[in-house]
Amino acid sequence: MTQTTLFDPLELGATTLRNRVVMAPMTRARTTQPGNIPNELMAEYYAQRADAGLIVSEATQISQQGQGYSFTPGIFSADQIAGWRTVTDRVHAAGGKIFLQLWHVGRVSHPVFHNGQPPVAPSAIQPKDTQVWIVGDDGVGRMVDCPMPRALSADEIGGIIADFRKGAANAIAAGFDGVEVHGGNGYLVDQFLRGVSNQRTDQYGGSRDNRTRFLVELMTALADEVGADKVGVRLAPYITFKDMTDPDIVPTILHAAEKLDPLGLAYIHLSEADWDDAPVIPEDFRHELRRLFHGKIIVAGGYDKQRAEVILAKGLADLVAFGRPFVANPDLPRRLARDLPLAQPDGASLFGGNHLGYTDYPAYA
Ligand SMILES: Cc1cc2nc3c(=O)[nH]c(=O)nc-3n(C[C@H](O)[C@H](O)[C@H](O)COP(=O)(O)O)c2cc1C
């Protein structure tokens, strides 16, 4: 029996991937202003990384209400769709595949993005010790506390699902191979999943079935809009940052996986850590997820080549996503394949700025 490696091709829903190395979604805040519009610089950055089997784009707000940080891209205006078309054309010309990550931040936001109004959330609960990055009129970026959000009405929840649906349709119109819903890391979908941020008394809060309702309705709508084989979802069962500690989240996510399974989605993408801020996921959880969900599984968070090959060999994941290693190594798949040394990223140029620390990392000579 030959063992699956990172460099074997894979059918991911409707998309054929040339290897199992995924570029993880990474916010880099380099859109053109005003309007949060993707541009040539971003097209260059993604095209440089097109040797990945799959690129998942940086998180992209599906509406103005969905924005929580400065300069992140959108997928709701005509200019944004046209800007993304430049990106997908360049990636495809380089032989790559790219999904767009659809995003609504919920309470992880600030009135500066909402005409002075509070951000929205499942319930009016302010996240402790949670900040967003906002660039002021002086051009300087600062971390700012997230204020008390306003609870969404049931009607508004339907409106947000409609915004996601439009975002997915726009993404396909912009040339993406598929879409991934950002359902982790403390943002709106995750806020619905957890009792710590969701204390609703209607059909969207309380029981596991109710807390997973928003996610399931959302994924059902997207599968209907663009086809389930072009849709994946990112979930973060073991993270606790952004004030998201919740003792019921692991069984809730397994419950969600079971309810999502009949839709035939392309994949679940486990966000195992944002930086180094989550425990290693226990194997029991991985086995249980495999039992309940029959689509592909992507894992991300602190993987190197060796850890990646081990989890593939055990059959507990189908693809492995790399975040920070892709920042400074545009040719990461080749470096991994040939065991070439990896360059280290510069932390100061991750968010905002120009080509420096973005498109100027060279391929290995
Ligand atoms: C600069 C930066 C930006 C990120 N932005 C996003 C994002 O937009 N969406 C998301 O789901 N995860 C985001 N993440 C998390 C990464 O996708 C990934 O899960 C994380 O970096 C851990 O993987 P790594 O150890 O390979 O870097 C970000 C991480 C970094 C370092």
Side-chain angles (χ1 to χ4, degrees):
M1 205 178 87
T2 51
Q3 228 168 261
T4 304
T5 81
L6 274 175
F7 309 101
D8 292 332
L10 180 78
E11 300 292 324
L12 181 70
T15 312
T16 302
L17 310 183
R18 57 181 160 195
N19 60 54
R20 290 152 189 251
V21 178
V22 177
M23 178 176 163
M26 280 185 291
T27 292
R28 304 299 309 274
R30 278 166 169 88
T31 55
T32 297
Q33 299 304 315
N36 300 317
I37 301 163
N39 51 40
E40 292 287 344
L41 180 66
M42 290 167 60
E44 171 71 13
Y45 164 77
Y46 283 112
Q48 287 174 342
R49 288 157 180 78
D51 288 345
L54 177 69
I55 295 171
V56 182
S57 82
E58 63 207 273
T60 299
Q61 57 265 8
I62 46 114
S63 63
Q64 188 49 50
Q65 190 193 65
Q67 184 176 5
Y69 302 80
S70 287
F71 302 165
T72 56
I75 185 71
F76 52 95
S77 78
D79 287 343
Q80 290 163 350
I81 297 167
W84 277 124
R85 169 55 81 175
T86 315
V87 174
T88 61
D89 281 349
R90 287 285 307 279
V91 168
H92 290 149
K97 304 284 183 191
I98 182 166
F99 274 38
L100 180 78
Q101 192 182 53
L102 299 169
W103 196 25
H104 190 306
V105 294
R107 68 181 186 172
V108 182
S109 186
H110 191 275
V112 76
F113 301 113
H114 314 293
N115 291 320
Q117 298 301 306
V120 299
S123 299
I125 302 169
Q126 183 178 7
K128 290 190 239 38
D129 303 324
T130 304
Q131 298 190 312
V132 287
W133 183 77
I134 297 176
V135 177
D137 293 336
D138 56 2
V140 179
R142 299 180 182 83
M143 298 305 291
V144 181
D145 285 337
C146 300
M148 175 65 82
R150 170 179 76 74
L152 289 160
S153 72
D155 281 354
E156 285 178 293
I157 293 172
I160 292 176
I161 291 175
D163 290 340
F164 268 98
R165 195 187 256 273
K166 192 79 184 53
N170 289 344
I172 299 301
F176 284 94
D177 298 288
V179 293
E180 171 179 296
V181 168
H182 195 345
N185 298 10
Y187 299 113
L188 183 66
V189 174
D190 210 7
Q191 291 160 30
F192 271 96
L193 294 175
R194 303 186 193 224
V196 64
S197 45
N198 178 357
Q199 290 174 8
R200 299 180 70 90
T201 52
D202 64 4
Q203 70 272 32
Y204 293 102
S207 65
R208 280 179 202 155
D209 218 38
N210 281 355
R211 280 181 283 114
T212 55
R213 189 177 309 280
F214 176 66
L215 169 64
V216 174
E217 287 184 357
L218 173 54
M219 301 312 293
T220 305
L222 298 192
D224 176 62
E225 185 68 34
V226 303
D229 56 358
K230 293 200 181 87
V231 181
V233 58
R234 196 163 212 228
L235 298 168
Y238 286 87
I239 68 110
T240 55
F241 52 81
K242 299 197 184 81
D243 197 17
M244 294 302 275
T245 302
D246 188 314
D248 200 49
I249 187 59
V250 171
T252 299
I253 283 182
L254 290 171
H255 183 74
E258 188 171 14
K259 284 170 72 182
L260 292 174
D261 191 49
L263 293 179
L265 300 176
Y267 66 84
I268 287 178
H269 182 173
L270 293 177
S271 172
E272 303 189 4
D274 204 358
W275 299 84
D276 301 311
D277 41 15
V280 172
I281 291 191
E283 284 208 355
D284 287 358
F285 173 85
R286 299 188 192 282
H287 284 288
E288 194 58 7
L289 184 62
R290 273 285 199 221
R291 190 177 72 78
L292 296 171
F293 180 78
H294 298 89
K296 298 288 190 277
I297 293 178
I298 307 179
V299 294
Y303 282 85
D304 56 15
K305 179 178 176 177
Q306 197 209 344
R307 264 194 87 205
E309 303 254 92
V310 167
I311 195 161
L312 291 181
K314 284 185 176 171
L316 295 175
D318 303 290
L319 300 121
V320 180
F322 298 83
R324 287 160 292 179
F326 258 113
V327 171
N329 301 280
D331 54 343
L332 184 67
R334 187 174 64 109
R335 294 200 200 201
L336 294 176
R338 299 189 195 170
D339 295 313
L340 297 170
L342 298 187
Q344 294 306 311
D346 161 38
S349 48
L350 285 175
F351 303 111
N354 51 24
H355 68 288
L356 297 171
Y358 190 53
T359 53
D360 62 342
Y361 291 108
Y364 194 80

